[in-house]
Every structure is written in structure tokens, then in C-alpha cells.
Amino acid sequence: MAEILVLAEHDGETVKKVTTELLTLARAHGDPAVVWTGDGAEGARARLGEFGATKVYVAGSADYSDYLVAPKAELLAHLIAAKAPAAVLVAATSEGREIAGRLAVKTGSGVLTDVIGLTADSDSGGLVGQQSIFGGAITVQSRVRAGTPIIAVRPNAVTPETAPGAAEIEPVSLTVSDEAKTARVTGKVVAERGERPELTEASIVVSGGRGLGSGEHFALIEELADSLGAAVGASRAATDAGWYPHQFQVGQTGKTVSPQLYVAIGISGAIQHRAGMQTSKTIMVVNKDPEAPIFELADFGVVGDLFKVVPQLVAEIGKRAAG
Ligand SMILES: Cc1cc2nc3c(=O)[nH]c(=O)nc-3n(C[C@H](O)[C@H](O)[C@H](O)COP(=O)(O)OP(=O)(O)OC[C@H]3O[C@@H](n4cnc5c(N)ncnc54)[C@H](O)[C@@H]3O)c2cc1C
């Protein structure tokens, strides 16, 4: 089977969950070969192998972290020329999407974004991507017809599954061109995360919307989230109002989450919000308006005032935890 390159997202130590999702998807259509930039490949090798990576191409140069995305696009273009993979998978994050676009231009290839699944075309054997468009309202099937398919896969679209792989490390030495080094990273600030799980990786997410009425009332959402060991999310109405930081926005222009349990409090369920949470396994809603569209998605819904319902919920969860 031909290789499918998977660009790893990592922080130098930990492999992000989305990379395990890409490996799971790649495995069904070829030999998944990870492309790892910077430090940490040796430490991550076992984890990559656990999800079926057959090979890990390691480009350890600091150029990949010292400059913005251009060196990574150059590296992938080099590997396409050298290894002739069947496809390149990247995460459809803001960085992944930019790399995909640059790589497509460099290699004269087609690119698919917001892909949520891949199948093999019965005639050509080529890869067909399922793309979620218009805020998740429509799914289309698309196939790249030029060059090497470059596919940006939406985080949380695929459930990661383990399967053993050798994860053999193969160093790649490439001298990054001066043109790819025009935008240097001058500093990095690590976002404070606190004790709560990362939003896109949490198994429970509690989100608040405009129904909360103010930023102070997000304390209710945090209290409920903490009682469940959950991450906190927010609708765009809440983040645009400055009630909660933008990095917690769930939806089409925010994060995509797919937890076991999604709790939507005071959120109406606009299509752009649904786009980021509708694949959650169980959806629970608290809204005072029985006509709110979010109830169409709900597995369990409470029609009521969140200021009465949420404190009772927290108290009940507290009693169960104590008992
Ligand atoms: C291009 C574009 C991209 C967008 N991207 C996103 C995105 O990524 N994420 C996103 O969320 N939105 C996004 N939006 C905005 C989206 O269209 C909605 O405006 C937004 O989701 C509404 O947020 P909300 O549900 O919190 O507010 P509202 O729609 O105002 O809903 C508030 C809800 O709270 C309920 N409520 C009020 N008081 C109480 C109470 N006391 N108790 C219980 N319930 C109560 C109301 O009944 C209502 O249903 C986008 C819009 C555009 C045009």
C-alpha cells in the first residue's frame, strides 16, 4: 500500500488527539507515515505506533518552530516529491489549513478542507472526501483530480482507534529555503488552561450562551463544569460580548467538539453553533424557550430558567458525588 502522510500536531512532548484521529483515518487507505517537525519524536514514537503509524519522518530542525508555517509546507512538498504518497492529511486547524493551501500551490495539487470522512472511489480507487459545508447543514463528496490529494480533516470527526504500527523513525534533512523564512516567530505565550480539560479533547463540555446575561454568570457554567470534570465552552454571542474568552467559542468559526456529553445552557442552537457540537454523543439542553432550535438536537432537555435549574443540577451532582 502507498504511504499516506500525516502531519503531526504536538507540543514537543504530547501528541494531540487530532493526530491519532488522522492516523485512524489514514490506516484505512494506506500506510500511515507521520511527518514530525521539531523535537520530541523519540518520546512520541510509542504513542504514534499505538495508532498504527508505520513510519515517522522526523525533520528536527528548529526552523519549523522558529518560523511560521512556510517551512512545514516546504517539508511536505519535499516528501511528496521523494515518497510519492497517496495523500497528505493535515488537521483542519488554522495552521493545518494554511499549510494545506500553501502545499497545494507548491505541488499543483487539489485540496479538500473540512473533511469528516474518506472513502475509496469504486472506479478510480482514488480517495473521496466527505466535506461538511454550510455550517454542517450539507455533506458533499469530493475528489481531488490534480496532483496529490491534500486533505484537511476536521478535529473530532473521527473516533481514534488503536492498531499496532512499527513507527520506524526516518530522519529527513532538508535545508529550508530563505523564502520560507520570511516570517519569524518572535515570542510564544502559553495559554493558561487551569485545571479543566482541553476543550476539543474533553469527554464532557458545558457551554453557556447569551441566556446567561453577563460574564459574571459564567461562574455558574464553570461550577457545573467543575462538578462534572468538564471543559467550558461558549456560544459566539457570549464570546463576542466579552463574557468569555474567544478561545472557548464552539461552532463554525470556533472549536469543533464531539464529547460524550455536551451541555448547552442558554444557547438557542443557531446553525453556526450546531456546526461545532452536533456530533456530540449525548446532548443536554437547558433553555427557557421550548421553541429554541437547540431542542431539535437534544437527547435530554429542560425547559426552564437556567438560574433555577443549574444550581439544582450542581447540588444534585454534589450529593451523588458525596454519596
Ligand atoms: C459567519 C457566522 C459565523 C458564526 N459562528 C458562530 C460560532 O462559531 N459559534 C456560535 O455559537 N455562533 C456563531 N455565530 C452566531 C450565531 O449565528 C448565533 O448568533 C449565536 O450562536 C447565538 O448565540 P446564543 O445561542 O448564545 O444566543 P441567542 O441566540 O440569543 O440565544 C440565547 C438563548 O438563551 C435562552 N435564554 C435566555 N435567558 C434564559 C434563561 N434565564 N434560562 C434559560 N434559557 C435562557 C433563550 O431562550 C435563547 O434560546 C456565527 C454567525 C455567523 C454569521
Side-chain angles (χ1 to χ4, degrees), residues 62-283:
D63 285 346
Y64 300 101
S65 52
D66 287 351
Y67 298 92
L68 296 181
V69 295
K72 289 184 185 167
E74 205 165 273
L75 170 67
L76 288 170
H78 166 77
L79 286 169
I80 286 179
K83 307 289 177 187
V88 178
L89 304 191
V90 300
T93 53
S94 43
E95 179 173 301
R97 277 194 278 243
E98 191 180 341
I99 291 170
R102 284 172 180 266
L103 182 61
V105 172
K106 274 182 186 301
T107 58
S109 300
V111 58
L112 303 182
T113 59
D114 278 333
V115 167
I116 53 170
L118 282 178
T119 49
D121 182 46
S122 50
D123 294 333
S124 66
L127 291 175
V128 176
Q130 285 83 57
Q131 285 173 293
S132 174
I133 63 166
F134 295 136
I138 296 177
T139 302
V140 294
Q141 316 276 338
S142 315
R143 188 161 66 85
V144 166
R145 297 176 64 187
T148 304
I150 298 161
I151 298 170
V153 182
R154 214 181 240 196
N156 287 315
V158 177
T159 307
E161 283 167 17
T162 56
E168 268 174 45
I169 289 200
E170 186 175 317
V172 181
S173 64
L174 172 74
T175 308
V176 175
S177 72
D178 288 342
E179 296 87 76
K181 295 204 272 188
T182 49
R184 179 186 272 280
V185 176
T186 56
K188 285 185 184 167
V189 179
V190 179
E192 278 185 40
R193 254 190 41 202
E195 298 294 303
R196 295 191 189 102
E198 212 277 311
L199 181 55
T200 56
E201 306 201 346
S203 55
I204 306 177
V205 174
V206 180
S207 287
R210 192 167 5 222
L212 283 157
S214 77
E216 282 155 41
H217 292 145
F218 256 86
L220 269 178
I221 300 295
E222 291 184 334
E223 200 182 351
L224 177 57
D226 290 343
S227 72
L228 293 165
V232 172
S235 72
R236 179 157 160 183
T239 57
D240 278 356
W243 297 349
Y244 220 65
H246 275 286
Q247 79 237 42
F248 297 99
Q249 182 188 314
V250 171
Q252 185 184 333
T253 43
K255 301 268 166 65
T256 305
V257 300
S258 191
Q260 294 298 319
L261 174 65
Y262 186 85
V263 186
I265 312 275
I267 293 176
S268 61
I271 190 166
Q272 297 90 352
H273 187 80
R274 291 169 175 225
M277 47 65 74
Q278 62 195 354
T279 58
S280 304
K281 308 295 171 292
T282 301
I283 296 172

